[in-house]
Amino acid sequence: MNQLLFREKLTPPIWGWVALTGFCLMLAVSVSAVFGDLIALIVFIFLVLVFIFLGFKFSPVIKVDNEFLYANKAKLPLRIINKATPMSISETTKIRGINADPKCFSATSPLINTSIRIDFKDKDDPHTYWLLSTRKPEELSRVLTQKL
């Protein structure tokens, strides 16, 4: 069995949860004008629970075990990785924007400002590199570099 070396679930940041709660509150206030406060409270609680469920259920996961790097369902064998470069906020903005490579495999989130670039050699893979959003680029880079 493969040992899990790194795992990160990329849930929305705190400000995202606050914004969603505010959105649910606005909807509940609108409902209260028509149906009353009790129904509005039920709608608010229901919507908050739905968004929490969706936020955790559908958040991407990055994992590394002894053989592969996983980005959701995509996987990259560790043996072909040449370099893992942590990207700062400004570097991530540039590589997702003006310096973007249309051939790269990109598993990025607009809610996460840092990333890691993973260069590899595989003649059968059409991608030039992988770009993954992560809140822990240095830690992921360290784990991948140890396996090189």
Side-chain angles (χ1 to χ4, degrees):
M1 184 172 182
N2 289 334
Q3 178 185 5
L4 192 61
L5 304 173
F6 178 88
R7 184 180 189 282
E8 181 181 14
K9 190 164 185 77
L10 302 173
T11 56
I14 295 295
W15 64 264
W17 294 113
V18 170
L20 280 174
T21 303
F23 175 73
C24 293
L25 188 59
M26 286 190 300
L27 286 175
V29 167
S30 299
V31 168
S32 75
V34 178
F35 298 106
D37 293 341
L38 180 61
I39 300 296
L41 180 62
I42 292 169
V43 167
F44 174 73
I45 291 170
F46 175 76
L47 288 174
V48 167
L49 292 175
V50 166
F51 281 124
I52 288 171
F53 172 77
L54 293 175
F56 281 98
K57 176 73 175 164
F58 295 106
S59 291
V61 176
I62 297 173
K63 296 187 294 189
V64 178
D65 64 20
N66 290 332
E67 295 181 37
F68 294 100
L69 163 66
Y70 299 89
N72 284 334
K73 294 182 185 206
K75 66 182 182 179
L76 185 68
L78 296 182
R79 60 180 161 68
I80 68 170
I81 294 176
N82 294 336
K83 188 177 177 186
T85 310
M87 309 291 277
S88 67
I89 293 172
S90 62
E91 292 170 323
T92 298
T93 302
K94 286 179 186 173
I95 201 165
R96 285 194 294 203
I98 59 173
N99 295 338
D101 182 353
K103 289 185 179 180
C104 86
F105 173 80
S106 179
T108 59
S109 168
L111 301 176
I112 299 171
N113 297 327
T114 53
S115 64
I116 186 166
R117 177 183 169 148
I118 300 157
D119 296 294
F120 60 92
K121 289 284 186 199
D122 185 2
K123 62 180 173 23
D124 298 327
D125 194 328
H127 301 105
T128 52
Y129 59 88
W130 276 26
L131 182 65
L132 307 177
S133 288
T134 175
R135 290 187 179 97
K136 305 172 186 174
E138 290 82 16
E139 183 181 341
L140 180 54
S141 175
R142 191 169 45 255
V143 167
L144 292 173
T145 303
Q146 288 173 354
K147 297 308 283 182
L148 297 181

